[in-house]
Amino acid sequence: MPTEHSSGGDPARTLELLWREPGPADSRRGPRQGLSLERVAAAAIALADSDGLGSVTMRAVAHGLGVVPMSLYTYVPGKAELLDLMLDTVYRQMPRGDLSGMPWRERLAAVAHENRDLFTRHPWIAEVSTTRPPLGPGLMAKYEHELSAFEGLGLDDVEMDAALTFLLGFVQAAARSAAEANAARQDSAMSEEQWWAANAPLLARVFDEAKYPTASRVGAAAGAAHGAAYDPDHAYTFGLQRVLDGLGALIDTSGA
């Protein structure tokens, strides 16, 4: 489950920050200390990338910037607004390829791959619920680009939005599963092969293949194919094709 939620701060102040609009409180905040919103966001993102989202506090970000914590509040009101600034920054910086002239499955797959790459660069994003998205320029550019992959397919506007949400939801879920698998390897200090080798003798004693014939057969086949019970890359590739198949059924009924 997500541990953080975007758009949890003051809506007006958050939008002012994201769109770099001076708010009425700015004139009362006193002289600034030579920082910028870009530097603040970059420091917070670097901290989250290296140590996880839980490490991002106003005090920790201020320490990374070499300033006292109170000075940071002259730029960002608090952690909630900072999180939205971080998200919108990474959205704005996302590489976005040209989707024109590509078949629709390739366009949608490109959007999925771009988002998977984003989660790979910034794993903490998978922990954030964006059901109330940060409505900044980075998000808007991302949304515009990704919707273009669905243009001309005969979907109405509501279906386009829902189809994109469905696609990105799959990618985020896959990213979370991959992060969990990576964390399990790090916590146990074992590779998948080492973990199974350590557990195989006990499993051989307690597992009755005659009682669970299907599980035994399928589990053995999957383990042999992946070298593990779960392969994040295979799960992503297989799942993406099934998502595209499902969207293809919708597109086929749209009359495009």
Side-chain angles (χ1 to χ4, degrees), residues 20-100:
R20 308 302 194 264
E21 290 289 325
D26 286 338
S27 61
R28 302 192 301 269
R29 289 178 177 269
R32 299 208 165 185
Q33 307 297 316
L35 295 178
S36 66
L37 287 176
E38 286 70 26
R39 284 188 62 196
V40 171
I45 291 166
L47 190 58
D49 288 347
S50 63
D51 299 328
L53 193 57
S55 68
V56 179
T57 65
M58 298 293 280
R59 180 176 295 276
V61 174
H63 178 75
L65 289 166
V67 300
V68 297
M70 285 306 298
S71 68
L72 201 60
Y73 288 94
T74 66
Y75 295 87
V76 182
K79 172 71 178 292
E81 292 85 0
L82 176 61
L83 177 58
D84 282 2
L85 183 63
M86 294 165 63
L87 285 169
D88 201 67
T89 298
V90 296
Y91 291 159
R92 178 170 50 82
Q93 294 172 347
M94 278 182 73
R96 288 186 264 273
D98 183 6
L99 303 178
S100 60

Side-chain angles (χ1 to χ4, degrees), residues 95-186:
R96 288 186 264 273
D98 183 6
L99 303 178
S100 60
M102 299 169 62
W104 74 263
R105 286 182 75 103
E106 292 183 19
R107 296 203 304 266
L108 270 58
V111 168
H113 298 338
E114 288 167 356
N115 279 272
R116 192 187 191 211
D117 290 344
L118 178 71
F119 288 122
T120 300
R121 291 191 301 273
H122 309 290
W124 52 272
I125 299 178
E127 303 174 29
V128 182
S129 169
T130 55
T131 52
R132 290 185 175 179
L135 301 175
L139 174 75
M140 292 304 180
K142 180 177 185 292
Y143 188 48
E144 180 74 19
H145 166 73
E146 291 167 353
L147 285 175
S148 72
F150 295 87
E151 283 280 36
L153 300 182
L155 304 181
D156 64 34
D157 289 349
V158 175
E159 288 173 332
M160 287 175 63
D161 178 80
L164 176 59
T165 299
F166 178 53
L167 177 65
L168 298 187
F170 160 74
V171 179
Q172 184 170 24
R176 280 194 201 125
S177 295
E180 289 167 0
N182 184 56
R185 286 192 297 271
Q186 292 180 347

